[in-house]
Amino acid sequence: MLNGELFPARRTTRLPGGYMGRILRVDLTTGKLTDENLPEEPVLRKFVGGQSLALYILLKELPRDAAPYGPENKVVMMTGPITGTGFTPGGTKVTAVYLSPLTEYTLGRGASSGFWPVYLKAAGYDGLIVQGASQRPVYLFINEGNAELRDASRVWGKGARETEDLLRAEVGIADARVMTIGPAGENLVRAAMLCNDYNHNAAHSAGAVFGSKKLKAIVVYGTKRPPLHDKAKLIEAGLRWRKTLVVRNVDEKKTAGHAEDLHALPNLNYRSSLIEDHARGFDQNRITLRPCFQCQRLCPWDVEVMEGPKKGAVGHFNAGSEWLDTFFNLGVKGNEVLYLAEKINDLGIECSHFSCGAAVAFEAWEKGLIGPSDTDGLAFEWGNVATIDRLLDMTARREGKWGELLAEGPTQVASVIGGDAPKWLVHTKKGTPALHDWRPHFGQMLREIVASGGMKPQGGGSAKPPPDLAYREKWGPLDRDDPTGWPWSQVLSEQYRQFCGVTGGCWFAQMHMKPDGLKSVADSLSATTGWNFDLDEGMIAGHRSMILQTIFGTQRGWVADHDWQQVGQRFLEPIPDGKFKGFTIGKWMPQMVFDYYRLSGRHERTGRPFMDTLQKLGLEEFSEWAQLD
Amino acid sequence: MSEKYGNLIPTGRLLDGKPRTILFDATKCIGCRQCVHACKDWHDHPRTSVYEFSSSNWIQMDPPVLEGLSPLWARNSCMHCEYPMCAAVCPVEAITKYDEGPVVIDPVKCIGCEYCVYACPWGVISKDEVTQKASKCTMCAPRVSEEKSPFCVVACPVGALDFGLEEDMTAKAHARASEVGGETYGENEAGGTQVVMVLKEGKAAYGLKFILPTKYPAHKIPLGLMLKDLFTPRCGIPGKLRALYLAVVHPKRLLYRYWPRRA
Ligand code: SF4
Ligand code: SF4
Ligand code: SF4
Ligand code: SF4
């Protein structure tokens, strides 16, 4: 089936439901825009969409010696068949893949929700391949299947929100949707994000790759909808899926966020995990839930600060709350955190990249390794909002020594400071984890560390076995003092999270801990496409996506040992205080990493898939990268 | 039911004849427009602009700003009037009032004369540029006849929309209005409608129109439009004949159609 071209000039197989049938290839060097037909049905059934299909394309096209900021790097962005049907929760996802500017040798992946992915399909495209580099700033405008590159000089240098408004006005379509980079992407901050629909970001460097290509934004509009194989069945499956949702609410936006679930919050560079009055003043704010397209999980929200020195500030957020911990970690509390969080998102800097770097610098100041003469007079004091505010601007624009360093990342900050500073680092393979204190939690820590040799995980690490998998899985113990069950739990949860993602679904909306939480996703995919996708096939599709991710790293020199060798020391230190005082998964490393790779059909030291794994997943074409013994 | 209307408008029954009402609680609405998209999704309408009424956009959540970016939201869509002016003016009986509530345009009968577009006090009817037929919210009549709620109601993620028997919804609206110190809208306007709203501020704050509690309220169909139909081939010969026939059979309706101010 993989003879013939990936993008057939004429399809010889059926286009399954849910797909628009076309990918737009954007060559920024030549300015040429080409429509490609989606691959044939057997390829689609294997890779479905999202990360998996995008990465399969990237593996076929990206030169082995590409550099992250070279014009030869490509960003492949894919939705999935359930994106934009309107009948399921979470049908909102687009996933971008590229060579990561953070690690420079593993897969970079950014994913986002909201409305933009839906309108990309409404404009007639399932995805995009962005390649080459423009001489001058441009944006891509796709309107009802017609694409053009336009001059972006008017919005170059502007923040994400303003760019969104200006471009919507410029194209003259109130319903148009905008995905853009902020100044951080333009200035190649290594972890710059893509920002869309005000509340949404695709983290992990996609923005920096856009910036290197001088692509400021992609504006989409169209009126098409994906054809559906069986609409009635899809509505039924979608309503079932909806029933599994844990619906978010306004009250939880008045707390310290996900830290409350984790019972730990990073303070002063992960040196205390106690939750105190961090959320002070949040209860007085005006909060509006601002859900994604047709999703009832209600993650995104807006805030108007009603108290404190930043009264009147407005913020647009999604659920994650990493951006809260980002500034808690720098000693800020209360509503000034929300002000700074809005700013970092508008500038388009991935929050943990900034926080883990700045925290090392602040700790160095506290311990006297650096002083005012090193900082141009800025006081690197914990909780100094004015300093942090200034550093955000400097980072996004690479201004001055600290702007440059923070834009590069925490490891560079630490090595320039020298002394003990490298010991205070939180990072994995030079990238930074989603900013929470994951350390008390086995599954989440393993997830952050391995991520199938990428740098960012796509969900995973569940502490609870999904009821929908009870028919085929026996869980080992998932205990705090026993590592036995966790690696397998990670292998499985990575599979079902990946599966949800490749359908074009949002893994925030995927409720694996609820009965029907996984089955309803598979049934939604089947009703949309006409395939008879059961959970077994779903888990295989997820597994395939994981393996492709490692193959990408393998091709560029990554080995599994890097996963546990290149981890910031602070990230593996025992929890200093609180409920889980003294806990660390460090004592089970690297054995847990070995187990994880072995259990997922890969070699425990190289991370390469075994031949039988490739055969089982129908990935024989990559046997060149298999572990042979 | 039909006694209530004489033969002024076509009436019909979908189910059990019990009147139903859509309840819109503006005090809960977050302006997400999931109802708007759900309507498009259910009806396979193209994803046309959500900011203006069209034959593929039957609900308008105002003001016309991005989702969530306003403290107050108004639902604008067909009110399913008890005494629907649109049906009274239609020269070809294309619009039926059903006992259960829905006021539905039959596109097969419609000749595109636009009288209803002008007669509707809320201005919620559009004409499809291609098919030249009038179009608006149907209260998901096919769903209602299967005892299901309209799809917009199903979609609302925060329970700002509800659907049920008229008496239940009205009671609920009143209870909620007094709970939040607000008021209701839609119960008396135009002689009563089958959409009731709970507002926390006055209707003006929501941009909702002030409509007298008059059945079949006064309205105006431009003279040019009326004459056009008499003297041009617009609306087709069969359409004209049908209009003529109905004018003879139901002369009282001419009052509404040609002397509208005398309602
Ligand atoms: S789960 Fe949350 S982030 Fe995902 S689509 Fe739904 S509302 Fe958006
Ligand atoms: S609101 Fe307008 S369209 Fe709806 S029933 Fe009343 S008059 Fe007719
Ligand atoms: S356009 Fe004319 S014919 Fe059609 S429903 Fe309206 S009034 Fe009736
Ligand atoms: S779906 Fe509900 S909350 Fe959203 S705009 Fe409609 S009525 Fe308001």
Side-chain angles (χ1 to χ4, degrees), chain B residues 86 89-92 94-95 105 109-117 134:
Chain B
C86 57
V89 298
C90 178
V92 290
I95 307 184
I105 302 176
K109 286 188 190 155
C110 171
I111 55 173
C113 68
E114 292 174 36
Y115 288 7
C116 59
V117 174

Side-chain angles (χ1 to χ4, degrees), chain A residues 65-116:
Chain A
D65 58 354
Y69 290 147
E72 65 282 1
N73 196 2
K74 296 190 180 196
V75 182
V76 184
M77 305 175 82
M78 282 300 306
T79 59
I82 71 160
T83 311
T85 72
F87 294 113
T88 70
T92 61
K93 216 67 174 176
V94 68
T95 307
V97 293
Y98 38 88
L99 173 60
S100 165
L102 273 170
T103 65
E104 303 191 293
Y105 75 139
T106 66
L107 184 71
R109 186 212 41 242
S112 194
S113 295
F115 294 82
W116 189 91

